[in-house]
Amino acid sequence: MDDEDGYFGDRVAATYDESSADMFEPSVVDAAVDVLARLAGGGRALELGIGTGRIALPLARRGVPVHGIDLSQAMVARLRAKPGGEAIGVTIGDFATTGVDGPFSVAYLVFNTIMNLTTQATQVACFRNVAAHLEPGGCFVIEVMVPELRKLPAGQNVVPFHVSPTRWAFDAYDVATQAMSSNYVEVSDGRAEYRSIPFRYVWPAELDLMAQIAGLRLRERWDGWAREPFTSESRRHVSIWEKPADLPPISAALPPDAVARRLLVSRTGIARGGETHDHTESGSGAGLPPPARSGRQRDLGAQRALGARDEG
């Protein structure tokens, strides 16, 4: 692993676009950009794991101001080398905790990149970080695979996803911890090279709970960017969570229990000691507030590659 750039150093960055070629197809990119541009409205977009600019560059060409966060300077250098790349602001850092100047109308994390955070705690921290950057009524969008545990043969923990004369690739699962890894063996000039990249798979319902901890609520969930229905047979999902307009400010530094207490008071009017606070016209304080409106229309509208990550 490259110390500064994580698992996406110079060697990976040099061939990333080619190794992920299917994800750079216009039909794939345009569908995602359509949804994100509509959610942004006239506001700004924050991309977590912006990488080489797969999504950020076409979104910026639609007139949406985009800022990105990425740990890999090598990937960002590839973004900078592309037309329009120099105009996009990028902060180098861990997107689970790095703060930038906001607010944003939409934040997004696509092509399985949430799984690059390899613990549940860091995935929760990511949601809280995003919530702290969103404006009231803003949205957080995640595109991620549905864990493929149904493919595991009884008693085994490996699912192959590529087999050819010179390349083998497989995912290994630890169902006790939700840890997984994507593993690659490549043969060149009679020599084999092996590398492995760790991830943490995450279920849709688990993401919903992380969103709730951060003060976000589910707005939409689809099978893909074309808004196909999400079903029990879906292999991936695009999920959109919204920050309610009446949510009290939440600091990304707050521990999860403090966030949960704040949400309880905001949504039910019940504080510690049984004191009740009026949050509705009737004073009942019951139920969730209606869907937020920000003053502009928020019309809603994986393939695996190296490292199962987006890179924008």
Side-chain angles (χ1 to χ4, degrees), residues 25-42 45 54-64 106 108 110 141 219 222 224-227 238 240 297-301:
E25 289 291 331
S27 60
V28 175
V29 172
D30 291 347
V33 170
D34 284 346
V35 171
L36 296 170
R38 287 172 180 145
L39 287 172
R54 181 180 71 96
I55 298 298
L57 288 171
L59 185 59
R61 288 194 289 268
R62 298 277 190 98
V64 178
V106 63
Y108 59 96
V110 293
V141 185
R219 174 169 165 171
W222 306 315
W225 295 105
R227 305 179 224 179
V238 172
I240 302 173
Q297 182 66 30
R298 292 191 179 282
D299 192 18
L300 286 181

Side-chain angles (χ1 to χ4, degrees), residues 218-283:
L218 183 65
R219 174 169 165 171
E220 299 282 353
R221 173 163 291 137
W222 306 315
D223 181 273
W225 295 105
R227 305 179 224 179
E228 309 95 326
F230 179 75
T231 72
S232 60
E233 300 302 318
S234 295
R235 299 180 59 188
R236 64 169 181 168
H237 62 98
V238 172
S239 295
I240 302 173
W241 297 272
E242 185 176 54
K243 181 175 181 176
D246 58 354
L247 183 70
I250 291 180
S251 169
L254 281 176
D257 59 341
V259 174
R261 287 196 299 272
R262 182 172 295 189
L263 293 175
L264 177 64
V265 173
S266 172
R267 293 178 174 179
T268 68
I270 301 174
R272 182 174 296 176
E275 182 182 357
T276 300
H277 299 263
D278 186 357
H279 289 283
T280 65
E281 286 187 355
S282 66

Side-chain angles (χ1 to χ4, degrees), residues 20 26 32 54 89 93 106 114 118 124 158 168 198 207 227 251 253 296:
S20 309
R54 181 180 71 96
V106 63
I114 185 66
T118 56
V124 170
V158 170
W168 301 270
L207 291 170
R227 305 179 224 179
S251 169
R296 55 178 176 264

Side-chain angles (χ1 to χ4, degrees), residues 8 11 34 43 69 72 81 83 108-109 124-125 130 145 147-148 169 186 196 204 208 237 261 265 284 301 306:
F8 295 87
R11 184 174 181 180
D34 284 346
I69 301 174
S72 172
Y108 59 96
L109 206 168
V124 170
V130 167
M145 63 181 282
E148 298 185 317
E186 297 191 44
S196 179
D208 290 341
H237 62 98
R261 287 196 299 272
V265 173
S284 67
L306 179 64

Side-chain angles (χ1 to χ4, degrees), residues 56-121:
L57 288 171
L59 185 59
R61 288 194 289 268
R62 298 277 190 98
V64 178
V66 179
H67 190 89
I69 301 174
D70 203 292
L71 185 65
S72 172
Q73 297 183 58
M75 297 291 279
V76 173
R78 296 283 165 171
L79 162 65
R80 295 289 188 222
K82 296 178 181 180
E86 288 290 344
I88 295 178
V90 178
T91 300
I92 300 298
D94 179 354
F95 61 69
T97 56
T98 298
V100 299
D101 291 335
F104 296 88
S105 297
V106 63
Y108 59 96
L109 206 168
V110 293
F111 194 16
N112 301 323
T113 311
I114 185 66
M115 300 193 329
N116 284 31
L117 303 175
T118 56
T119 68
Q120 186 182 70

